[in-house]
Amino acid sequence: MAAVAERPAGGPSASASAAGQTVTMRIWRGDAAGGAFQEYTVPLEEGMVVLDVVHRIQAMQANDLAVRWNCKAGKCGSCSAEINGKPRLMCMTRMNTFEPGKVITISPIRTFPLIKDLVTDVSFNFQKAKEVPAFKPKPLDPDGKRRMYQEDVDRVQEFHKCIECFLCQNVCHVIRDHEENKQSFAGPRLFVRLAALELHPLDTNDRRELLKYKAGLGFCNITKCCTEVCPEHIHITDNAIIPLKERVVTEFYDPLAWIARKLSGRDPRKGIVE
């Protein structure tokens, strides 16, 4: 079921904020070479979301305005933007949550290279995803089946709610403020993907070396900014990142595990996908 954006209690009603009114939007216009904010004023109608207003501006005043969107139901993650400085989905941000008469500012997410207007190049995330080893199930039980407890199913199911809006990547200061870290830090979205595999009770691949040496899990200082902006309310920090950190610590910093690795002669960097 598609998520539904609710009007906060006590906020202005849709009809009160829309009837016979207009709204002014400050939208970033430009590309990698530069640009500036431009203001557009359009009629406001009951039930509109920010994406509706952007489409109206595109249709009536700025036919060349670049904006990425697809489902308009909060499930494709395409329409990510910064609205009044806060990373959000434009299709799930209702206009009746803003104070009537106030100018609303829309800008592209900042962590990734700007292509044009509100569209950014998020290919970094897909390149990093190629480094993640695939699911590798354990052998079948003697009766030809595989079994796991329901609580283990529930634990990883949360991670599959991710719609790849990359808002968590956008607010992560490790890559937002330090472009040079992108080569060695996967970011919260990829940690969610890694957790979905690493914590799966039927998976036999070991990704702890990748987490430490190539995904840069140690860079994360668990500020929870990624969790705060997730439109699917995935507990990224508590349920994905911290359990992964615990596994890495046990593997590489637990004295008994270190002794076992030395005695076995196992290379801690083997199996990393280059």
Side-chain angles (χ1 to χ4, degrees):
M1 182 184 295
V4 177
E6 298 181 353
R7 177 170 57 87
S13 67
S15 57
S17 63
Q21 292 192 8
T22 60
V23 61
T24 299
M25 311 288 276
R26 279 182 84 236
I27 300 180
W28 173 262
R29 300 300 309 274
D31 53 29
F37 283 100
Q38 287 186 226
E39 290 192 359
Y40 302 91
T41 300
V42 294
L44 186 63
E45 295 182 11
E46 182 176 349
M48 294 182 85
V49 295
V50 169
L51 186 61
D52 291 325
V53 179
V54 171
H55 282 165
R56 176 158 290 186
I57 292 169
Q58 190 181 50
M60 298 173 61
Q61 301 181 39
N63 301 141
D64 60 342
L65 173 62
V67 57
R68 181 181 286 135
W69 72 285
N70 187 19
C71 73
K72 200 177 175 289
K75 289 301 173 185
C76 73
S78 300
C79 63
S80 299
E82 296 191 8
I83 303 172
N84 287 345
K86 182 178 180 180
R88 307 175 74 170
L89 294 177
M90 289 189 285
C91 72
M92 300 304 292
T93 305
R94 292 194 177 276
M95 292 301 298
N96 62 7
T97 61
F98 300 104
E99 184 178 346
K102 292 290 186 179
V103 176
I104 300 169
T105 300
I106 307 177
S107 55
I109 53 178
R110 284 179 44 192
T111 298
F112 305 108
L114 180 65
I115 296 176
K116 186 177 185 292
D117 300 337
L118 301 179
V119 178
T120 54
D121 180 1
V122 295
S123 59
F124 160 82
N125 303 284
F126 304 114
Q127 293 300 320
K128 278 294 181 183
K130 294 178 182 179
E131 300 173 1
V132 179
F135 178 77
K136 183 180 179 182
K138 69 178 185 180
L140 295 172
D141 294 334
D143 61 359
K145 299 180 180 179
R146 296 188 179 95
R147 294 176 173 82
M148 56 183 176
Y149 292 107
Q150 184 62 44
E151 61 189 50
D152 292 327
V153 176
D154 296 338
R155 185 182 190 188
V156 299
Q157 187 62 36
E158 175 187 16
F159 307 134
H160 295 291
K161 292 163 56 181
C162 176
I163 59 175
E164 295 201 317
C165 62
F166 304 126
L167 294 180
C168 61
Q169 299 283 76
N170 181 58
V171 298
C172 181
H173 62 274
V174 178
I175 51 178
R176 183 183 177 110
D177 300 330
H178 304 278
E179 179 71 23
E180 68 277 10
N181 287 341
K182 287 184 179 179
Q183 295 302 313
S184 54
F185 184 75
R189 189 285 171 263
L190 272 299
F191 293 143
V192 167
R193 179 168 182 166
L194 283 158
L197 295 166
E198 188 67 14
L199 304 181
H200 198 293
L202 298 183
D203 183 68
T204 58
N205 255 334
D206 187 348
R207 302 170 185 82
R208 290 172 294 183
E209 290 88 355
L210 182 144
L211 284 163
K212 175 177 170 60
Y213 292 112
K214 197 163 186 179
L217 182 64
F219 281 107
C220 174
N221 56 7
I222 56 176
T223 59
K224 295 192 177 184
C225 52
C226 52
T227 301
E228 291 174 358
V229 300
C230 179
E232 287 295 324
H233 308 292
I234 301 171
H235 295 84
I236 301 172
T237 308
D238 292 338
N239 294 349
I241 294 176
I242 291 178
L244 291 178
K245 279 180 173 284
E246 291 172 345
R247 291 196 170 205
V248 170
V249 167
T250 299
E251 171 70 5
F252 294 98
Y253 301 103
D254 182 283
L256 295 179
W258 182 85
I259 292 172
R261 189 167 58 249
K262 284 292 184 181
L263 291 175
S264 66
R266 181 167 61 85
D267 181 357
R269 289 184 59 86
K270 74 176 183 178
I272 297 180
V273 178
E274 297 295 346

